[in-house]
Amino acid sequence: MGTTMTITNEPDFPFRFASLFCGCGGFDLGFVQSGFNCIAAYDIDSVAIETHQKNIFPGSEIRDLSEGSVDFAQLKDIDILVAGPPCQGFSTAGKRRVDDPRNHLLLSAGQFVLTIQPRVLVLENVPGVTSGEHRKYWEQLKFLLKEDGYHTTDFLINVQEIGLPQMRKRMILVAWKTEIPWVTPEFSGEKISLQEALSNINGAQNHDLRHVTPGSDLYLIVHRIKPGQKLSNVRGGPRSVHTWDIPEVYGDTNGVERTVLTSLLRLRRRLRLRDKGDADPVLASDLSKDVGFSTIRILEGLVKKGYVRKTGNRYDLCHAFNGKFRRLRWDKPSYTVDTRFTDFRYFLHPDENRGFSVREAARIQGFPDTFVFTGNEKEQARLVGNAVPPPLGRWVALGVRKMLTRR
């Protein structure tokens, strides 16, 4: 990883593409590296556009595409439209509001296709776009395209399948009006490990390190988290470190209290009140039955210590998040690189007591070191986390290339 970025301009390969919701240009970079010519790119994020202009296309524009302010004359006769509409409304990591106004931008991409009439559309989004009520947007988009004479196919891909050391799944939609149909490309590259991806990184741009302050409470927490572990009160097993395992930060507990906490950890997911969510508060009587002794006084003591909270006549764990301070392992793929990936409270370096640098996150995403991110560090992390991995763009571009060249 960290190789020099090569932009290929082939005189005998004149195909042009435009990019909607381009972000910093991860998807676009994959197409440019495959010989396609970027003639326009649009996004509402000024920092993303600045990065895109610096690395890919100087003519990128800042436009609010929800208002339809695009120069269609500029896009006349393009071959491919690449689009990555906002995924926040569809993502399972968010609130998944069906009425999130950003969801309609998926259909806006379809309207652009009907107006511009490219030979090929390639659209990317999160897997949640095809789940539950949200699926109606995806199906409506395919209906619009098919009514206009486009053939469509969609598929789910995990970027591990194309060699990246990351668990990241994405839905891809391809629509075309070409004589040659879409054929999913085979992956011909080499899979690399997380350790290989982050090797020889010292001196790279956007590689500023922020170690946790030794002796602080946060240091005491992250020091307890081993590779492959996370801080989680709501999961059992060796991969979860509980707050009661770190008394120097969260306070002492005795053996009986830990027995009750462990029982609460199990029963809150087993004795459900609702048909949604991950868990529910538990009655003291159910806890007492599970452990074989009265738990009322113990629970009240744990409430005072800050380990348990009381809701009506039921009890639940404090710090009931699924996992923070997730420490990666060198021999396992990374979690999905998201906008929080450089924050050590969410993701920890396998060896060091720190989070990841922007450049390390970019390496895991498949960006070359010559691709420089602009803005402040928080903005850079957001650009990387929201980006489509360039190798995914390159892989899709291979399939599009075969459609357009009959080879």
Side-chain angles (χ1 to χ4, degrees), residues 120 174 176 178 180-183 399-406:
V120 181
V174 181
W176 67 93
T178 65
I180 305 299
W182 168 265
V183 177
V400 174
R401 185 183 182 107
K402 291 181 178 179
M403 295 172 73
L404 296 176
T405 61
R406 300 189 181 185

Side-chain angles (χ1 to χ4, degrees), residues 189-239:
E190 180 181 348
K191 292 186 177 182
I192 64 170
S193 68
L194 180 63
Q195 191 159 29
E196 290 171 321
L198 301 186
S199 64
N200 301 317
I201 198 170
N202 291 335
Q205 296 190 71
N206 305 119
H207 183 54
D208 298 314
L209 304 183
R210 303 282 184 269
H211 288 84
V212 182
T213 304
S216 65
D217 282 353
L218 289 172
Y219 182 87
L220 294 175
I221 294 171
V222 302
H223 186 67
R224 285 293 192 97
I225 311 296
K226 305 304 179 186
Q229 292 185 325
K230 61 184 177 180
L231 183 70
S232 175
N233 282 354
V234 299
R235 295 290 187 271
R239 294 180 57 193

Side-chain angles (χ1 to χ4, degrees), residues 243-313:
T243 55
W244 51 89
D245 296 324
I246 314 177
E248 59 268 37
V249 175
Y250 293 98
D252 289 324
T253 55
N254 58 41
V256 173
E257 289 173 325
R258 289 191 291 275
T259 297
V260 173
L261 287 167
T262 302
S263 174
L264 180 53
L265 181 156
R266 292 195 312 270
L267 295 185
R268 65 190 299 276
R269 299 186 67 203
R270 186 185 305 169
L271 305 178
R272 299 305 310 277
L273 301 173
R274 305 167 298 161
D275 58 2
K276 60 181 181 179
D278 187 60
D280 291 302
V282 180
L283 292 170
S285 57
D286 288 323
L287 286 162
S288 299
K289 181 179 179 181
D290 185 58
V291 300
F293 53 82
S294 177
T295 59
I296 286 288
R297 300 179 75 177
I298 299 167
L299 286 167
E300 293 300 327
L302 289 170
V303 169
K304 292 180 181 180
K305 290 184 175 183
Y307 280 107
V308 171
R309 58 186 174 87
K310 190 174 183 180
T311 304
N313 64 339

Side-chain angles (χ1 to χ4, degrees), residues 6-8 17 27-38 56:
T6 300
I7 295 181
T8 306
F17 76 94
F27 215 1
D28 299 355
L29 176 59
F31 272 79
V32 171
Q33 289 175 327
S34 301
F36 291 87
N37 298 303
C38 183
I56 299 177

Side-chain angles (χ1 to χ4, degrees), residues 87-97 100 102 134 340:
C87 64
Q88 289 87 346
F90 300 114
S91 175
T92 54
K95 296 180 179 180
R96 278 183 61 80
R97 286 174 46 206
D100 190 315
R102 292 170 294 188
H134 295 75
R340 308 166 304 171

